[in-house]
Amino acid sequence: MTDADPVLDADPVLRALAHPVRLRMLTLMWPGPMSAAELSRELGISHALASRHLRNLDAVGLVELAEERTRRGGRERRYRTVHGSPLSDRNDGAHLLGTALARALKERSARRHPEGRG
């Protein structure tokens, strides 16, 4: 008999929320939809990595496709945070989201260029 791996047996939503990049993505998409390209620029990660994290969040129901549009000859998919997810429905989730949003905004403010660029 083998011991079960608690990480593999964890709730998929909790596993998705456990990654700091995915949590930051959720906070960035809370005010409105963003594409993988927009998220990759904002987070300083590759487009492929942003897409992979978005697929993970979509698979567990934390984000949803908000719009799909043609851009520069390709198709851009923009996702939004699902309002009504475990993160927003419960009081403990709201506190977690509020804390994450505040931290993300402080970090983004600190990186903002004094002349308004970036």
Side-chain angles (χ1 to χ4, degrees), residues 2 7 10 21 28 33 40 42-44 47 64 68 96 99 112:
T2 61
V7 173
V21 169
L28 289 170
S40 70
E42 185 67 37
L43 296 169
H47 185 274
E64 63 189 0
E68 191 171 348
L96 174 64
T99 302
R112 188 166 182 82

PDB file of all heavy atoms in Angstrom, residues 2 7 10 21 28 33 40 42-44 47 64 68 96 99 112:
ATOM      1  N   THR A   2       0.599   2.191  -0.913  1.00  0.00           N
ATOM      2  CA  THR A   2       1.399   3.405  -1.010  1.00  0.00           C
ATOM      3  C   THR A   2       0.615   4.577  -0.448  1.00  0.00           C
ATOM      4  O   THR A   2      -0.611   4.599  -0.464  1.00  0.00           O
ATOM      5  CB  THR A   2       1.766   3.702  -2.477  1.00  0.00           C
ATOM      6  OG1 THR A   2       0.565   3.896  -3.203  1.00  0.00           O
ATOM      7  CG2 THR A   2       2.588   2.586  -3.078  1.00  0.00           C
ATOM      8  N   VAL A   7      -0.417  16.561  -2.674  1.00  0.00           N
ATOM      9  CA  VAL A   7      -0.446  17.597  -3.713  1.00  0.00           C
ATOM     10  C   VAL A   7      -1.285  17.131  -4.894  1.00  0.00           C
ATOM     11  O   VAL A   7      -2.103  17.874  -5.425  1.00  0.00           O
ATOM     12  CB  VAL A   7       0.988  17.966  -4.166  1.00  0.00           C
ATOM     13  CG1 VAL A   7       0.956  18.896  -5.354  1.00  0.00           C
ATOM     14  CG2 VAL A   7       1.756  18.584  -3.010  1.00  0.00           C
ATOM     15  N   ALA A  10      -5.052  17.058  -4.022  1.00  0.00           N
ATOM     16  CA  ALA A  10      -5.668  18.329  -3.636  1.00  0.00           C
ATOM     17  C   ALA A  10      -6.721  18.748  -4.653  1.00  0.00           C
ATOM     18  O   ALA A  10      -6.681  18.366  -5.822  1.00  0.00           O
ATOM     19  CB  ALA A  10      -4.592  19.409  -3.523  1.00  0.00           C
ATOM     20  N   VAL A  21       1.960  32.950 -10.061  1.00  0.00           N
ATOM     21  CA  VAL A  21       1.706  33.596 -11.363  1.00  0.00           C
ATOM     22  C   VAL A  21       0.225  33.516 -11.699  1.00  0.00           C
ATOM     23  O   VAL A  21      -0.371  34.495 -12.158  1.00  0.00           O
ATOM     24  CB  VAL A  21       2.566  32.967 -12.481  1.00  0.00           C
ATOM     25  CG1 VAL A  21       2.124  33.441 -13.856  1.00  0.00           C
ATOM     26  CG2 VAL A  21       4.031  33.283 -12.257  1.00  0.00           C
ATOM     27  N   LEU A  28      -5.113  40.469 -12.164  1.00  0.00           N
ATOM     28  CA  LEU A  28      -5.013  41.371 -13.317  1.00  0.00           C
ATOM     29  C   LEU A  28      -6.278  41.331 -14.169  1.00  0.00           C
ATOM     30  O   LEU A  28      -6.680  42.349 -14.748  1.00  0.00           O
ATOM     31  CB  LEU A  28      -3.799  41.011 -14.177  1.00  0.00           C
ATOM     32  CG  LEU A  28      -2.440  41.333 -13.575  1.00  0.00           C
ATOM     33  CD1 LEU A  28      -1.329  40.704 -14.413  1.00  0.00           C
ATOM     34  CD2 LEU A  28      -2.239  42.835 -13.470  1.00  0.00           C
ATOM     35  N   PRO A  33     -11.220  41.800 -19.118  1.00  0.00           N
ATOM     36  CA  PRO A  33     -10.549  40.722 -19.845  1.00  0.00           C
ATOM     37  C   PRO A  33      -9.159  41.097 -20.334  1.00  0.00           C
ATOM     38  O   PRO A  33      -8.885  42.261 -20.632  1.00  0.00           O
ATOM     39  CB  PRO A  33     -11.462  40.437 -21.031  1.00  0.00           C
ATOM     40  CG  PRO A  33     -12.573  41.395 -20.983  1.00  0.00           C
ATOM     41  CD  PRO A  33     -12.399  42.287 -19.812  1.00  0.00           C
ATOM     42  N   SER A  40       1.357  38.283 -20.539  1.00  0.00           N
ATOM     43  CA  SER A  40       2.796  37.996 -20.605  1.00  0.00           C
ATOM     44  C   SER A  40       3.609  39.277 -20.493  1.00  0.00           C
ATOM     45  O   SER A  40       4.625  39.319 -19.799  1.00  0.00           O
ATOM     46  CB  SER A  40       3.155  37.224 -21.881  1.00  0.00           C
ATOM     47  OG  SER A  40       3.027  38.032 -23.024  1.00  0.00           O
ATOM     48  N   GLU A  42       2.621  42.129 -19.020  1.00  0.00           N
ATOM     49  CA  GLU A  42       2.438  42.678 -17.679  1.00  0.00           C
ATOM     50  C   GLU A  42       3.247  41.899 -16.633  1.00  0.00           C
ATOM     51  O   GLU A  42       3.795  42.489 -15.707  1.00  0.00           O
ATOM     52  CB  GLU A  42       0.950  42.644 -17.296  1.00  0.00           C
ATOM     53  CG  GLU A  42       0.633  43.284 -15.978  1.00  0.00           C
ATOM     54  CD  GLU A  42       0.856  44.789 -15.947  1.00  0.00           C
ATOM     55  OE1 GLU A  42       0.594  45.462 -16.949  1.00  0.00           O
ATOM     56  OE2 GLU A  42       1.315  45.275 -14.894  1.00  0.00           O
ATOM     57  N   LEU A  43       3.327  40.586 -16.795  1.00  0.00           N
ATOM     58  CA  LEU A  43       3.998  39.743 -15.804  1.00  0.00           C
ATOM     59  C   LEU A  43       5.466  39.480 -16.118  1.00  0.00           C
ATOM     60  O   LEU A  43       6.180  38.912 -15.295  1.00  0.00           O
ATOM     61  CB  LEU A  43       3.258  38.397 -15.684  1.00  0.00           C
ATOM     62  CG  LEU A  43       1.822  38.499 -15.160  1.00  0.00           C
ATOM     63  CD1 LEU A  43       1.109  37.176 -15.327  1.00  0.00           C
ATOM     64  CD2 LEU A  43       1.810  38.956 -13.719  1.00  0.00           C
ATOM     65  N   GLY A  44       5.898  39.856 -17.326  1.00  0.00           N
ATOM     66  CA  GLY A  44       7.291  39.622 -17.703  1.00  0.00           C
ATOM     67  C   GLY A  44       7.610  38.152 -17.916  1.00  0.00           C
ATOM     68  O   GLY A  44       8.702  37.692 -17.588  1.00  0.00           O
ATOM     69  N   HIS A  47       4.926  34.379 -23.721  1.00  0.00           N
ATOM     70  CA  HIS A  47       3.551  34.207 -24.182  1.00  0.00           C
ATOM     71  C   HIS A  47       3.116  32.760 -23.982  1.00  0.00           C
ATOM     72  O   HIS A  47       1.984  32.497 -23.552  1.00  0.00           O
ATOM     73  CB  HIS A  47       3.447  34.622 -25.652  1.00  0.00           C
ATOM     74  CG  HIS A  47       2.060  34.582 -26.184  1.00  0.00           C
ATOM     75  ND1 HIS A  47       1.497  33.445 -26.687  1.00  0.00           N
ATOM     76  CD2 HIS A  47       1.120  35.557 -26.290  1.00  0.00           C
ATOM     77  CE1 HIS A  47       0.261  33.706 -27.092  1.00  0.00           C
ATOM     78  NE2 HIS A  47       0.009  34.986 -26.850  1.00  0.00           N
ATOM     79  N   GLU A  64     -12.867  32.521 -17.835  1.00  0.00           N
ATOM     80  CA  GLU A  64     -13.709  32.137 -18.968  1.00  0.00           C
ATOM     81  C   GLU A  64     -13.376  33.025 -20.155  1.00  0.00           C
ATOM     82  O   GLU A  64     -12.889  34.151 -19.984  1.00  0.00           O
ATOM     83  CB  GLU A  64     -15.185  32.257 -18.615  1.00  0.00           C
ATOM     84  CG  GLU A  64     -15.628  33.676 -18.290  1.00  0.00           C
ATOM     85  CD  GLU A  64     -17.043  33.751 -17.735  1.00  0.00           C
ATOM     86  OE1 GLU A  64     -17.691  32.712 -17.589  1.00  0.00           O
ATOM     87  OE2 GLU A  64     -17.481  34.888 -17.453  1.00  0.00           O
ATOM     88  N   GLU A  68     -13.325  36.875 -28.435  1.00  0.00           N
ATOM     89  CA  GLU A  68     -12.330  36.419 -29.400  1.00  0.00           C
ATOM     90  C   GLU A  68     -12.404  37.375 -30.575  1.00  0.00           C
ATOM     91  O   GLU A  68     -13.486  37.657 -31.084  1.00  0.00           O
ATOM     92  CB  GLU A  68     -12.638  34.984 -29.832  1.00  0.00           C
ATOM     93  CG  GLU A  68     -11.553  34.330 -30.604  1.00  0.00           C
ATOM     94  CD  GLU A  68     -11.812  32.839 -30.816  1.00  0.00           C
ATOM     95  OE1 GLU A  68     -12.709  32.283 -30.179  1.00  0.00           O
ATOM     96  OE2 GLU A  68     -11.096  32.259 -31.640  1.00  0.00           O
ATOM     97  N   LEU A  96      -8.738  36.920   0.530  1.00  0.00           N
ATOM     98  CA  LEU A  96      -7.553  36.485  -0.213  1.00  0.00           C
ATOM     99  C   LEU A  96      -7.414  37.294  -1.498  1.00  0.00           C
ATOM    100  O   LEU A  96      -6.329  37.788  -1.819  1.00  0.00           O
ATOM    101  CB  LEU A  96      -7.654  34.990  -0.539  1.00  0.00           C
ATOM    102  CG  LEU A  96      -6.577  34.394  -1.424  1.00  0.00           C
ATOM    103  CD1 LEU A  96      -5.217  34.459  -0.743  1.00  0.00           C
ATOM    104  CD2 LEU A  96      -6.923  32.966  -1.777  1.00  0.00           C
ATOM    105  N   THR A  99      -6.380  40.941  -0.729  1.00  0.00           N
ATOM    106  CA  THR A  99      -4.964  41.011  -0.362  1.00  0.00           C
ATOM    107  C   THR A  99      -4.084  40.872  -1.597  1.00  0.00           C
ATOM    108  O   THR A  99      -3.129  41.628  -1.774  1.00  0.00           O
ATOM    109  CB  THR A  99      -4.619  39.916   0.668  1.00  0.00           C
ATOM    110  OG1 THR A  99      -5.454  40.095   1.817  1.00  0.00           O
ATOM    111  CG2 THR A  99      -3.165  39.963   1.080  1.00  0.00           C
ATOM    112  N   ARG A 112       6.015  51.359 -12.270  1.00  0.00           N
ATOM    113  CA  ARG A 112       5.523  52.331 -13.249  1.00  0.00           C
ATOM    114  C   ARG A 112       6.547  53.433 -13.474  1.00  0.00           C
ATOM    115  O   ARG A 112       7.130  53.961 -12.561  1.00  0.00           O
ATOM    116  CB  ARG A 112       4.208  52.925 -12.766  1.00  0.00           C
ATOM    117  CG  ARG A 112       3.548  53.771 -13.806  1.00  0.00           C
ATOM    118  CD  ARG A 112       2.119  54.037 -13.406  1.00  0.00           C
ATOM    119  NE  ARG A 112       1.444  54.818 -14.400  1.00  0.00           N
ATOM    120  CZ  ARG A 112       0.898  54.339 -15.502  1.00  0.00           C
ATOM    121  NH1 ARG A 112       0.918  53.073 -15.737  1.00  0.00           N
ATOM    122  NH2 ARG A 112       0.302  55.130 -16.352  1.00  0.00           N
TER     123      ARG A 112
END
